[in-house]
Structure formats: C-alpha cells, structure tokens
Amino acid sequence: MITVGIDPGTRKLGWGVVRRDGARLIHVAHGVIRMNEKAALENRLQQLASELNEVLSDHQPNVGSVETLFFFKDAQAAAKLGHARGVVLLCLAQQGVDVAEYAPAKVKRTIAGSGQAEKIQVARIIKALLGLEQLPAPDAADALALAVTHLRISPFVEALASRTPTERAALSALLVAKRRQRGRAGSPASANRAKIGTRV
C-alpha cells in the first residue's frame, strides 16, 4: 500500500509518500508546495491543485491521509484552510484516491505516544523511523506523520472489522500497548538517540 500524507495550507502544502511492504514502512518521497503569498487566493488554489495533481500522478497512491479540520480563533484563517483542504479532497477524488482523515492529536498519539507531543518531537521520530538523512521541513514532516499514521492504523481497522467482539477487545488492547511503547520511544532519551542516527 502506498499512502500520501497531505498537510493543507494556502501558502505552503506539505506532502509525504510512504509505502508499506509487509511490516516495513518505506519512505518514497516528500516535499512542500510553496504558493505565491502575494497572489490572489483563487490563483494560489489553482497552483495548489496543479502541483498536487503532479505529485499524485507521479506516485500513484492508494490512499490520501489528510488532517481533519480543527477550530481556529481566527475565522478568516479557518476559511482559507477550508478552501485549501477542499481542493486537496477534490484532487484526491478526481484521481480515484481513497481518503482517510485524522485529527492532529491522533497523529501525535500514533507517532509519539502523546496527543500533546511537540511538532519537533514528531519530526525527529519520523526522521528516525523512515531513515531520513535530514530532518524534513515542518510541513513535510507533518505530512509524513499523516501517512505513517494511516499505515499503522489501517491494518488494525481492517482486522477489527472481521473479528468477534472479544477479538476486537484484544486487538484494541494490543494497539494501546503499541502506542505506549511508541510513547517510550518518543521520550527525551530516545529523541537524543534519534539525533545521532539511531532508528526507533
């Protein structure tokens, strides 16, 4: 399975492609689409659609993992993000890519074991997990985290759908245990190991 994580924005859009090969997660590519901040919103959205479609055509993902909307104090910023997110969903639908949506706290819990984890902590874990030589740009790191979140969660969702209630409870307990294990892996000591190239 190939998943593209997408972190929408009207100035910068992060994307990251990760492939699952058995139990292994393999980094494919990542990047940031940078829009002209001085351009009108409609022109930025047009650029976003054009460049995102190129990414989707190049990598042919099975699933697009997108961050859910969350509340903003600034209504105007929320509206702009909603426009960008709408374009992302449209691009995915037009290319026949399934969509999965995850809340920011869910992504942080899945990657770092805590919904309150700092963005830099998540980025360092992603760098170590995928064997990247350099820390990805913040928007790309968020996108890679979204892709990894889907690839980690989807096998459990598929397994739960075909199990009895007792088996579902056991699998859910296993998922909780794995999150706690990743939480320990995301501790400061583990983050320091990630800095010197140790994989988690």
Side-chain angles (χ1 to χ4, degrees), residues 105-160:
K106 179 81 168 181
V107 175
K108 291 179 179 181
R109 280 197 303 271
T110 303
I111 302 300
S114 169
Q116 303 301 317
E118 297 291 334
K119 290 171 73 72
I120 187 63
Q121 181 184 4
V122 172
R124 286 170 177 161
I125 293 173
I126 287 295
K127 174 181 178 291
L129 178 68
L130 298 177
L132 305 178
E133 292 184 0
Q134 297 181 342
L135 202 67
D139 300 282
D142 289 346
L144 287 169
L146 279 158
V148 170
T149 293
H150 178 73
L151 290 172
R152 281 183 161 174
I153 288 177
S154 59
F156 287 94
V157 174
E158 293 165 4
L160 284 172

Side-chain angles (χ1 to χ4, degrees), residues 4-190:
V4 57
I6 301 174
D7 182 32
T10 55
R11 294 183 297 173
K12 293 184 289 185
L13 177 142
W15 61 271
V17 182
V18 181
R19 175 167 58 91
R20 185 173 68 209
D21 185 3
R24 296 176 59 214
L25 297 182
I26 300 170
H27 171 261
V28 177
H30 68 269
V32 178
I33 297 173
R34 302 177 188 277
M35 273 72 76
N36 181 357
E37 296 185 23
K38 296 182 180 179
L41 177 61
E42 60 270 25
N43 293 331
R44 281 183 274 162
L45 295 175
Q46 183 180 40
Q47 179 191 348
L48 185 160
S50 176
E51 295 193 32
L52 179 58
N53 276 322
E54 286 185 20
V55 171
L56 298 177
S57 296
D58 287 346
H59 298 289
Q60 297 292 307
N62 307 105
V63 179
S65 182
V66 185
E67 192 171 80
T68 58
L69 282 176
F70 49 93
F71 292 103
F72 280 85
K73 293 181 179 179
D74 184 342
Q76 187 175 11
K80 288 182 178 179
L81 178 60
H83 291 318
R85 192 170 176 279
V87 171
V88 167
L89 296 178
L90 178 62
C91 290
L92 292 170
Q94 287 178 332
Q95 298 216 22
V97 181
D98 292 336
V99 175
E101 299 178 274
Y102 299 99
K106 179 81 168 181
V107 175
K108 291 179 179 181
R109 280 197 303 271
T110 303
I111 302 300
S114 169
Q116 303 301 317
E118 297 291 334
K119 290 171 73 72
I120 187 63
Q121 181 184 4
V122 172
R124 286 170 177 161
I125 293 173
I126 287 295
K127 174 181 178 291
L129 178 68
L130 298 177
L132 305 178
E133 292 184 0
Q134 297 181 342
L135 202 67
D139 300 282
D142 289 346
L144 287 169
L146 279 158
V148 170
T149 293
H150 178 73
L151 290 172
R152 281 183 161 174
I153 288 177
S154 59
F156 287 94
V157 174
E158 293 165 4
L160 284 172
S162 61
R163 302 294 182 176
T164 66
T166 301
E167 290 172 330
R168 289 175 190 169
L171 284 170
S172 296
L174 178 59
L175 180 57
V176 169
K178 284 183 174 291
R179 284 178 182 163
R180 288 175 179 167
Q181 184 179 12
R182 284 196 291 272
R184 290 192 294 271
S187 66
S190 206

